[in-house]
mmCIF file of all heavy atoms in Angstrom:
data_model
loop_
_atom_site.group_PDB
_atom_site.id
_atom_site.type_symbol
_atom_site.label_atom_id
_atom_site.label_comp_id
_atom_site.label_asym_id
_atom_site.label_seq_id
_atom_site.Cartn_x
_atom_site.Cartn_y
_atom_site.Cartn_z
ATOM 1 N N SER A 1 103.148 133.415 106.961
ATOM 2 C CA SER A 1 102.165 132.842 107.867
ATOM 3 C C SER A 1 101.606 131.552 107.272
ATOM 4 O O SER A 1 101.393 131.457 106.063
ATOM 5 C CB SER A 1 101.023 133.829 108.133
ATOM 6 O OG SER A 1 101.511 135.007 108.729
ATOM 7 N N ILE A 2 101.369 130.567 108.135
ATOM 8 C CA ILE A 2 100.830 129.279 107.719
ATOM 9 C C ILE A 2 99.507 129.060 108.426
ATOM 10 O O ILE A 2 99.409 129.268 109.637
ATOM 11 C CB ILE A 2 101.806 128.139 108.044
ATOM 12 C CG1 ILE A 2 103.111 128.340 107.258
ATOM 13 C CG2 ILE A 2 101.204 126.778 107.727
ATOM 14 C CD1 ILE A 2 104.191 127.352 107.623
ATOM 15 N N TYR A 3 98.495 128.659 107.681
ATOM 16 C CA TYR A 3 97.157 128.484 108.235
ATOM 17 C C TYR A 3 96.626 127.091 107.905
ATOM 18 O O TYR A 3 96.859 126.563 106.823
ATOM 19 C CB TYR A 3 96.188 129.529 107.670
ATOM 20 C CG TYR A 3 96.521 130.946 108.067
ATOM 21 C CD1 TYR A 3 97.492 131.663 107.381
ATOM 22 C CD2 TYR A 3 95.862 131.561 109.131
ATOM 23 C CE1 TYR A 3 97.810 132.966 107.749
ATOM 24 C CE2 TYR A 3 96.174 132.857 109.503
ATOM 25 C CZ TYR A 3 97.142 133.558 108.811
ATOM 26 O OH TYR A 3 97.454 134.838 109.184
ATOM 27 N N VAL A 4 95.931 126.501 108.862
ATOM 28 C CA VAL A 4 95.186 125.265 108.647
ATOM 29 C C VAL A 4 93.736 125.547 108.999
ATOM 30 O O VAL A 4 93.433 125.929 110.129
ATOM 31 C CB VAL A 4 95.733 124.113 109.517
ATOM 32 C CG1 VAL A 4 94.832 122.890 109.394
ATOM 33 C CG2 VAL A 4 97.158 123.758 109.094
ATOM 34 N N ASN A 5 92.855 125.408 108.022
ATOM 35 C CA ASN A 5 91.433 125.725 108.222
ATOM 36 C C ASN A 5 91.230 127.134 108.764
ATOM 37 O O ASN A 5 90.401 127.383 109.632
ATOM 38 C CB ASN A 5 90.786 124.707 109.172
ATOM 39 C CG ASN A 5 90.728 123.322 108.582
ATOM 40 O OD1 ASN A 5 90.622 123.181 107.367
ATOM 41 N ND2 ASN A 5 90.815 122.305 109.405
ATOM 42 N N GLY A 6 92.018 128.080 108.266
ATOM 43 C CA GLY A 6 91.858 129.471 108.656
ATOM 44 C C GLY A 6 92.515 129.842 109.966
ATOM 45 O O GLY A 6 92.447 130.993 110.384
ATOM 46 N N ARG A 7 93.195 128.895 110.612
ATOM 47 C CA ARG A 7 93.816 129.161 111.902
ATOM 48 C C ARG A 7 95.332 129.121 111.766
ATOM 49 O O ARG A 7 95.873 128.217 111.144
ATOM 50 C CB ARG A 7 93.375 128.118 112.927
ATOM 51 C CG ARG A 7 93.875 128.401 114.336
ATOM 52 C CD ARG A 7 93.435 127.302 115.282
ATOM 53 N NE ARG A 7 93.765 127.610 116.646
ATOM 54 C CZ ARG A 7 93.580 126.790 117.669
ATOM 55 N NH1 ARG A 7 93.041 125.605 117.445
ATOM 56 N NH2 ARG A 7 93.911 127.135 118.885
ATOM 57 N N PRO A 8 96.067 130.107 112.359
ATOM 58 C CA PRO A 8 97.526 130.096 112.238
ATOM 59 C C PRO A 8 98.139 128.896 112.934
ATOM 60 O O PRO A 8 97.706 128.474 113.997
ATOM 61 C CB PRO A 8 97.940 131.416 112.916
ATOM 62 C CG PRO A 8 96.804 131.769 113.808
ATOM 63 C CD PRO A 8 95.575 131.270 113.120
ATOM 64 N N VAL A 9 99.168 128.327 112.303
ATOM 65 C CA VAL A 9 99.914 127.210 112.858
ATOM 66 C C VAL A 9 101.341 127.687 113.103
ATOM 67 O O VAL A 9 101.948 128.310 112.239
ATOM 68 C CB VAL A 9 99.916 126.009 111.888
ATOM 69 C CG1 VAL A 9 100.801 124.890 112.408
ATOM 70 C CG2 VAL A 9 98.505 125.506 111.666
ATOM 71 N N TYR A 10 101.870 127.402 114.270
ATOM 72 C CA TYR A 10 103.186 127.893 114.648
ATOM 73 C C TYR A 10 104.202 126.769 114.489
ATOM 74 O O TYR A 10 104.369 125.922 115.347
ATOM 75 C CB TYR A 10 103.152 128.394 116.092
ATOM 76 C CG TYR A 10 102.021 129.358 116.314
ATOM 77 C CD1 TYR A 10 100.831 128.927 116.873
ATOM 78 C CD2 TYR A 10 102.125 130.674 115.900
ATOM 79 C CE1 TYR A 10 99.775 129.804 117.042
ATOM 80 C CE2 TYR A 10 101.077 131.551 116.066
ATOM 81 C CZ TYR A 10 99.896 131.114 116.635
ATOM 82 O OH TYR A 10 98.849 131.982 116.796
ATOM 83 N N CYS A 11 104.865 126.753 113.342
ATOM 84 C CA CYS A 11 105.879 125.750 113.099
ATOM 85 C C CYS A 11 106.965 126.352 112.224
ATOM 86 O O CYS A 11 106.752 127.351 111.537
ATOM 87 C CB CYS A 11 105.285 124.498 112.444
ATOM 88 S SG CYS A 11 104.388 124.794 110.916
ATOM 89 N N THR A 12 108.128 125.748 112.266
ATOM 90 C CA THR A 12 109.259 126.250 111.500
ATOM 91 C C THR A 12 109.064 125.976 110.014
ATOM 92 O O THR A 12 108.729 124.857 109.629
ATOM 93 C CB THR A 12 110.553 125.573 111.971
ATOM 94 O OG1 THR A 12 110.704 125.792 113.375
ATOM 95 C CG2 THR A 12 111.756 126.140 111.243
ATOM 96 N N ALA A 13 109.269 126.994 109.197
ATOM 97 C CA ALA A 13 109.120 126.850 107.748
ATOM 98 C C ALA A 13 110.419 127.260 107.061
ATOM 99 O O ALA A 13 111.197 128.062 107.590
ATOM 100 C CB ALA A 13 107.961 127.704 107.243
ATOM 101 N N TYR A 14 110.645 126.692 105.880
ATOM 102 C CA TYR A 14 111.830 126.995 105.107
ATOM 103 C C TYR A 14 111.433 127.431 103.701
ATOM 104 O O TYR A 14 110.490 126.892 103.128
ATOM 105 C CB TYR A 14 112.732 125.767 104.986
ATOM 106 C CG TYR A 14 113.189 125.186 106.294
ATOM 107 C CD1 TYR A 14 112.458 124.175 106.905
ATOM 108 C CD2 TYR A 14 114.346 125.647 106.913
ATOM 109 C CE1 TYR A 14 112.875 123.631 108.115
ATOM 110 C CE2 TYR A 14 114.763 125.115 108.117
ATOM 111 C CZ TYR A 14 114.029 124.108 108.715
ATOM 112 O OH TYR A 14 114.435 123.582 109.897
ATOM 113 N N ALA A 15 112.168 128.383 103.159
ATOM 114 C CA ALA A 15 112.034 128.759 101.756
ATOM 115 C C ALA A 15 113.186 128.114 101.000
ATOM 116 O O ALA A 15 114.359 128.379 101.297
ATOM 117 C CB ALA A 15 112.069 130.272 101.597
ATOM 118 N N ILE A 16 112.854 127.250 100.047
ATOM 119 C CA ILE A 16 113.859 126.539 99.264
ATOM 120 C C ILE A 16 113.510 126.677 97.794
ATOM 121 O O ILE A 16 112.486 126.174 97.343
ATOM 122 C CB ILE A 16 113.923 125.043 99.641
ATOM 123 C CG1 ILE A 16 114.156 124.863 101.152
ATOM 124 C CG2 ILE A 16 115.012 124.336 98.846
ATOM 125 C CD1 ILE A 16 114.113 123.417 101.598
ATOM 126 N N SER A 17 114.344 127.375 97.075
ATOM 127 C CA SER A 17 114.175 127.523 95.624
ATOM 128 C C SER A 17 112.767 127.975 95.250
ATOM 129 O O SER A 17 112.146 127.446 94.340
ATOM 130 C CB SER A 17 114.502 126.193 94.936
ATOM 131 O OG SER A 17 114.542 126.356 93.519
ATOM 132 N N GLY A 18 112.242 128.962 95.991
ATOM 133 C CA GLY A 18 110.933 129.516 95.672
ATOM 134 C C GLY A 18 109.760 128.757 96.236
ATOM 135 O O GLY A 18 108.611 129.122 95.983
ATOM 136 N N ASN A 19 110.003 127.685 96.974
ATOM 137 C CA ASN A 19 108.934 126.896 97.578
ATOM 138 C C ASN A 19 108.999 126.992 99.095
ATOM 139 O O ASN A 19 110.054 127.268 99.669
ATOM 140 C CB ASN A 19 109.042 125.423 97.174
ATOM 141 C CG ASN A 19 108.934 125.227 95.679
ATOM 142 O OD1 ASN A 19 108.177 125.913 95.021
ATOM 143 N ND2 ASN A 19 109.711 124.301 95.143
ATOM 144 N N ASN A 20 107.864 126.751 99.754
ATOM 145 C CA ASN A 20 107.811 126.720 101.205
ATOM 146 C C ASN A 20 107.764 125.271 101.685
ATOM 147 O O ASN A 20 107.022 124.458 101.146
ATOM 148 C CB ASN A 20 106.565 127.459 101.716
ATOM 149 C CG ASN A 20 106.727 128.956 101.618
ATOM 150 O OD1 ASN A 20 107.767 129.493 101.992
ATOM 151 N ND2 ASN A 20 105.716 129.631 101.116
ATOM 152 N N TYR A 21 108.542 124.961 102.717
ATOM 153 C CA TYR A 21 108.580 123.628 103.284
ATOM 154 C C TYR A 21 108.347 123.693 104.792
ATOM 155 O O TYR A 21 108.833 124.610 105.458
ATOM 156 C CB TYR A 21 109.943 122.967 103.061
ATOM 157 C CG TYR A 21 110.246 122.600 101.625
ATOM 158 C CD1 TYR A 21 110.666 123.554 100.711
ATOM 159 C CD2 TYR A 21 110.121 121.287 101.199
ATOM 160 C CE1 TYR A 21 110.943 123.217 99.399
ATOM 161 C CE2 TYR A 21 110.410 120.938 99.886
ATOM 162 C CZ TYR A 21 110.815 121.907 98.983
ATOM 163 O OH TYR A 21 111.086 121.568 97.700
ATOM 164 N N VAL A 22 107.620 122.711 105.318
ATOM 165 C CA VAL A 22 107.531 122.521 106.758
ATOM 166 C C VAL A 22 107.665 121.033 107.040
ATOM 167 O O VAL A 22 107.494 120.197 106.150
ATOM 168 C CB VAL A 22 106.188 123.028 107.355
ATOM 169 C CG1 VAL A 22 106.034 124.515 107.151
ATOM 170 C CG2 VAL A 22 105.013 122.287 106.766
ATOM 171 N N ARG A 23 107.985 120.678 108.282
ATOM 172 C CA ARG A 23 108.120 119.280 108.632
ATOM 173 C C ARG A 23 106.755 118.594 108.636
ATOM 174 O O ARG A 23 105.783 119.134 109.149
ATOM 175 C CB ARG A 23 108.774 119.132 109.999
ATOM 176 C CG ARG A 23 110.244 119.510 109.989
ATOM 177 C CD ARG A 23 110.869 119.206 111.346
ATOM 178 N NE ARG A 23 112.279 119.536 111.334
ATOM 179 C CZ ARG A 23 112.767 120.748 111.585
ATOM 180 N NH1 ARG A 23 111.944 121.732 111.866
ATOM 181 N NH2 ARG A 23 114.064 120.971 111.550
ATOM 182 N N LEU A 24 106.735 117.387 108.100
ATOM 183 C CA LEU A 24 105.497 116.620 108.049
ATOM 184 C C LEU A 24 104.985 116.341 109.457
ATOM 185 O O LEU A 24 103.780 116.343 109.699
ATOM 186 C CB LEU A 24 105.731 115.312 107.304
ATOM 187 C CG LEU A 24 104.524 114.406 107.083
ATOM 188 C CD1 LEU A 24 103.428 115.151 106.334
ATOM 189 C CD2 LEU A 24 104.934 113.162 106.303
ATOM 190 N N ARG A 25 105.876 116.112 110.409
ATOM 191 C CA ARG A 25 105.459 115.849 111.785
ATOM 192 C C ARG A 25 104.717 117.050 112.371
ATOM 193 O O ARG A 25 103.749 116.907 113.111
ATOM 194 C CB ARG A 25 106.661 115.508 112.654
ATOM 195 C CG ARG A 25 106.270 115.033 114.045
ATOM 196 C CD ARG A 25 107.493 114.779 114.907
ATOM 197 N NE ARG A 25 108.370 113.756 114.357
ATOM 198 C CZ ARG A 25 108.165 112.459 114.485
ATOM 199 N NH1 ARG A 25 107.113 112.020 115.139
ATOM 200 N NH2 ARG A 25 109.014 111.592 113.967
ATOM 201 N N ASP A 26 105.187 118.280 112.045
ATOM 202 C CA ASP A 26 104.514 119.481 112.547
ATOM 203 C C ASP A 26 103.096 119.581 112.007
ATOM 204 O O ASP A 26 102.164 119.934 112.731
ATOM 205 C CB ASP A 26 105.306 120.741 112.165
ATOM 206 C CG ASP A 26 106.627 120.842 112.914
ATOM 207 O OD1 ASP A 26 106.784 120.111 113.905
ATOM 208 O OD2 ASP A 26 107.474 121.641 112.501
ATOM 209 N N ILE A 27 102.931 119.293 110.709
ATOM 210 C CA ILE A 27 101.599 119.349 110.119
ATOM 211 C C ILE A 27 100.725 118.247 110.705
ATOM 212 O O ILE A 27 99.535 118.443 110.976
ATOM 213 C CB ILE A 27 101.675 119.209 108.585
ATOM 214 C CG1 ILE A 27 102.401 120.430 108.004
ATOM 215 C CG2 ILE A 27 100.279 119.100 107.979
ATOM 216 C CD1 ILE A 27 101.753 121.755 108.348
ATOM 217 N N GLY A 28 101.300 117.074 110.928
ATOM 218 C CA GLY A 28 100.534 115.991 111.540
ATOM 219 C C GLY A 28 99.988 116.393 112.893
ATOM 220 O O GLY A 28 98.829 116.118 113.222
ATOM 221 N N GLN A 29 100.813 117.086 113.681
ATOM 222 C CA GLN A 29 100.353 117.533 114.993
ATOM 223 C C GLN A 29 99.241 118.562 114.867
ATOM 224 O O GLN A 29 98.303 118.590 115.657
ATOM 225 C CB GLN A 29 101.521 118.132 115.773
ATOM 226 C CG GLN A 29 101.199 118.498 117.209
ATOM 227 C CD GLN A 29 102.420 118.957 117.972
ATOM 228 O OE1 GLN A 29 103.265 119.647 117.432
ATOM 229 N NE2 GLN A 29 102.506 118.562 119.225
ATOM 230 N N ALA A 30 99.319 119.407 113.841
ATOM 231 C CA ALA A 30 98.325 120.467 113.666
ATOM 232 C C ALA A 30 96.968 119.930 113.216
ATOM 233 O O ALA A 30 95.929 120.461 113.605
ATOM 234 C CB ALA A 30 98.837 121.501 112.656
ATOM 235 N N VAL A 31 96.965 118.878 112.385
ATOM 236 C CA VAL A 31 95.705 118.407 111.823
ATOM 237 C C VAL A 31 95.293 117.036 112.349
ATOM 238 O O VAL A 31 94.232 116.536 111.987
ATOM 239 C CB VAL A 31 95.767 118.379 110.278
ATOM 240 C CG1 VAL A 31 96.069 119.737 109.719
ATOM 241 C CG2 VAL A 31 96.816 117.378 109.784
ATOM 242 N N GLY A 32 96.126 116.429 113.205
ATOM 243 C CA GLY A 32 95.683 115.225 113.890
ATOM 244 C C GLY A 32 96.026 113.905 113.238
ATOM 245 O O GLY A 32 95.182 113.016 113.148
ATOM 246 N N PHE A 33 97.274 113.751 112.725
ATOM 247 C CA PHE A 33 97.697 112.425 112.323
ATOM 248 C C PHE A 33 99.112 112.181 112.844
ATOM 249 O O PHE A 33 99.856 113.109 113.131
ATOM 250 C CB PHE A 33 97.611 112.193 110.802
ATOM 251 C CG PHE A 33 98.485 113.092 109.962
ATOM 252 C CD1 PHE A 33 99.840 112.853 109.817
ATOM 253 C CD2 PHE A 33 97.927 114.167 109.283
ATOM 254 C CE1 PHE A 33 100.632 113.667 109.020
ATOM 255 C CE2 PHE A 33 98.707 114.988 108.493
ATOM 256 C CZ PHE A 33 100.076 114.740 108.359
ATOM 257 N N GLY A 34 99.454 110.914 113.014
ATOM 258 C CA GLY A 34 100.740 110.568 113.587
ATOM 259 C C GLY A 34 101.785 110.331 112.513
ATOM 260 O O GLY A 34 101.499 109.826 111.433
ATOM 261 N N VAL A 35 103.031 110.701 112.825
ATOM 262 C CA VAL A 35 104.143 110.513 111.895
ATOM 263 C C VAL A 35 105.292 109.841 112.645
ATOM 264 O O VAL A 35 105.712 110.323 113.699
ATOM 265 C CB VAL A 35 104.625 111.850 111.305
ATOM 266 C CG1 VAL A 35 105.805 111.610 110.369
ATOM 267 C CG2 VAL A 35 103.497 112.555 110.567
ATOM 268 N N GLU A 36 105.772 108.715 112.122
ATOM 269 C CA GLU A 36 106.890 108.008 112.725
ATOM 270 C C GLU A 36 107.908 107.646 111.653
ATOM 271 O O GLU A 36 107.552 107.369 110.503
ATOM 272 C CB GLU A 36 106.427 106.728 113.427
ATOM 273 C CG GLU A 36 105.476 106.950 114.591
ATOM 274 C CD GLU A 36 105.119 105.650 115.281
ATOM 275 O OE1 GLU A 36 106.033 104.799 115.435
ATOM 276 O OE2 GLU A 36 103.950 105.483 115.638
ATOM 277 N N TYR A 37 109.197 107.659 112.042
ATOM 278 C CA TYR A 37 110.254 107.229 111.138
ATOM 279 C C TYR A 37 110.621 105.782 111.437
ATOM 280 O O TYR A 37 110.920 105.431 112.578
ATOM 281 C CB TYR A 37 111.483 108.120 111.293
ATOM 282 C CG TYR A 37 112.658 107.649 110.460
ATOM 283 C CD1 TYR A 37 112.567 107.618 109.072
ATOM 284 C CD2 TYR A 37 113.835 107.236 111.068
ATOM 285 C CE1 TYR A 37 113.627 107.183 108.307
ATOM 286 C CE2 TYR A 37 114.904 106.799 110.314
ATOM 287 C CZ TYR A 37 114.803 106.777 108.936
ATOM 288 O OH TYR A 37 115.852 106.341 108.173
ATOM 289 N N ASP A 38 110.584 104.942 110.427
ATOM 290 C CA ASP A 38 110.910 103.523 110.559
ATOM 291 C C ASP A 38 112.333 103.301 110.039
ATOM 292 O O ASP A 38 112.582 103.345 108.824
ATOM 293 C CB ASP A 38 109.911 102.684 109.756
ATOM 294 C CG ASP A 38 110.081 101.185 109.972
ATOM 295 O OD1 ASP A 38 111.173 100.786 110.431
ATOM 296 O OD2 ASP A 38 109.141 100.435 109.688
ATOM 297 N N LYS A 39 113.270 103.078 110.969
ATOM 298 C CA LYS A 39 114.659 102.907 110.568
ATOM 299 C C LYS A 39 114.848 101.655 109.707
ATOM 300 O O LYS A 39 115.682 101.637 108.799
ATOM 301 C CB LYS A 39 115.550 102.810 111.812
ATOM 302 C CG LYS A 39 115.679 104.109 112.585
ATOM 303 C CD LYS A 39 116.655 103.930 113.747
ATOM 304 C CE LYS A 39 116.817 105.239 114.519
ATOM 305 N NZ LYS A 39 117.761 105.088 115.663
#
């Protein structure tokens, strides 16, 4: 389970070599910042 300020966030997470990863864009949407890829 992933929480932001005590509230569950529904996003895809990965376990990689003992660590948890989520997409930065998903977290941005949850906490209110924008994420863009500059080619």
Side-chain angles (χ1 to χ4, degrees):
S1 299
I2 297 174
Y3 295 82
V4 173
N5 294 329
R7 185 182 186 185
V9 175
Y10 309 98
C11 56
T12 304
Y14 302 92
I16 305 175
S17 189
N19 299 323
N20 285 314
Y21 291 79
V22 297
R23 289 186 179 86
L24 183 57
R25 188 183 300 279
D26 291 345
I27 294 302
Q29 186 174 38
V31 301
F33 62 79
V35 179
E36 297 183 40
Y37 175 63
D38 187 341
K39 290 184 179 180

